[in-house]
Amino acid sequence: MFFLDRLDLDRRFRLLRREFEGRGVSEELRGWSFDSPPVEPPSRSVLFSVSELAGRYCESMRDIYLRRVLNVKPPPSVKMARGVVLHVVNREVLSIVKRLLFSGGVKCGSELVESLLPMTGSVVDRAISEAEGLLASLGEDVRAQLKGEASAFFRFLSVQAAARVDQVISKYPHSDVDSIVSIAVPPVVERKVDGSLVGLSRELSVDIYTPFNAIADLKTGEVREFHPYAATGYALAIEAEEGIPIDFGFVIYVKIEGPRFVPSFRLRYFVIGDELRREFLELRDEAYQVVSVGRDPGKPSKCPDYCPYYTVCKGERI
């Protein structure tokens, strides 16, 4: 994570480990307990994406009913497009940095940034095309807005990557390229994991997987209380597939605003403890009940206007 300070991360995780030592995680709530309740899913014939369960904008789970029973997709929005675009830019920067370093054509940070910056336009165009392919065609004004934000994000990450590479070379002047990449570049981004053992999709994509027994989820919108559920779902899936503990999660909020368009970050750290695990599993089981019964659970007492289905439920566009 080019934009995260390693010393700050070390301090945060030291505190989290102390909290974890006091709380622990019950064995029955680890992902590898997928063959017994409460981790065992009600059915493995219905698999949910983590975002379906973790995005609890709708308290009554009418969003699950609309999507799964009536096959109604939420109307595309600028927020959704921004999320896809910035995730693609983050993924592309890391892939390109690794490729350039391993190719041997780049020896230091200044050469790296000189190679990266001319790619800004092509990477941003690919990111916007991917968002349009997943959602819908974007208007010119929205495209221009997202291009500006994505370009700023790409340039920021490029400069941070170059600085990180130079820091590693300066500290370890005799290191080979494999060592430089392993220290300077985030270990794994968009790691694939099969979540079917715990009732989740077969090809989940974890934003960032770290050697701290931790996973990170990148968010491009406002802070919501339910955001830790996503890391919890991924933790259960990785534990089920790999048999290794995932104890910590953090959410990285990215915001890019004028006039300087320098990205700002806010981090939220937490132990993926028993309470989060139980709540996530209850959401999974409740969602399964909605789908298996096929009955409209109705609107919640309050519908937040930032819910992706707000206009659908408000106008009953079904």
Side-chain angles (χ1 to χ4, degrees), residues 12-191:
R12 297 281 186 174
F13 279 106
R14 186 185 302 175
L15 292 174
L16 285 177
R17 287 191 188 96
R18 191 174 302 168
E19 180 183 342
F20 176 77
E21 287 171 2
R23 297 169 52 186
V25 172
S26 300
E27 190 70 9
E28 63 173 9
L29 293 170
R30 290 290 194 183
W32 54 70
S33 299
F34 54 82
D35 54 352
S36 59
V39 176
E40 183 180 21
S43 167
R44 291 193 174 87
S45 61
V46 179
L47 303 177
F48 295 97
S49 71
V50 167
S51 61
E52 275 183 291
L53 301 178
R56 280 302 91 229
Y57 300 94
C58 179
E59 293 181 359
S60 70
M61 286 205 168
R62 191 167 196 248
D63 57 326
I64 299 288
Y65 170 77
L66 292 171
R67 183 194 300 269
R68 290 293 186 134
V69 179
L70 299 188
N71 199 27
V72 176
K73 294 182 179 179
S77 68
V78 176
K79 289 183 178 179
M80 292 180 189
R82 177 181 292 112
V84 174
V85 168
L86 296 187
H87 274 80
V88 172
V89 169
N90 184 52
R91 182 192 69 206
E92 287 290 300
V93 169
L94 296 174
S95 298
I96 294 171
V97 166
K98 289 179 181 176
R99 190 164 65 243
L100 288 173
L101 291 173
F102 278 123
S103 72
V106 169
K107 306 295 184 187
C108 64
S110 60
E111 292 179 353
L112 180 61
V113 77
E114 287 172 0
S115 298
L116 282 168
L117 291 183
M119 301 179 187
T120 306
S122 59
V123 170
V124 169
D125 286 344
R126 283 203 299 275
I128 290 178
S129 295
E130 192 164 327
E132 290 184 316
L134 289 171
L135 301 171
S137 296
L138 303 172
E140 283 305 313
D141 54 339
V142 174
R143 285 177 64 90
Q145 179 186 345
L146 294 182
K147 272 191 172 186
E149 295 176 15
S151 297
F153 194 40
F154 182 87
R155 290 193 295 268
F156 177 86
L157 293 177
S158 298
V159 172
Q160 298 300 313
R164 187 64 63 89
V165 167
D166 271 356
Q167 286 171 357
V168 173
I169 295 174
S170 177
K171 185 173 181 179
Y172 306 107
H174 304 297
S175 56
D176 58 20
V177 65
D178 195 47
S179 294
I180 294 171
V181 170
S182 67
I183 299 171
V185 182
V188 182
V189 172
E190 296 202 359
R191 184 191 189 281

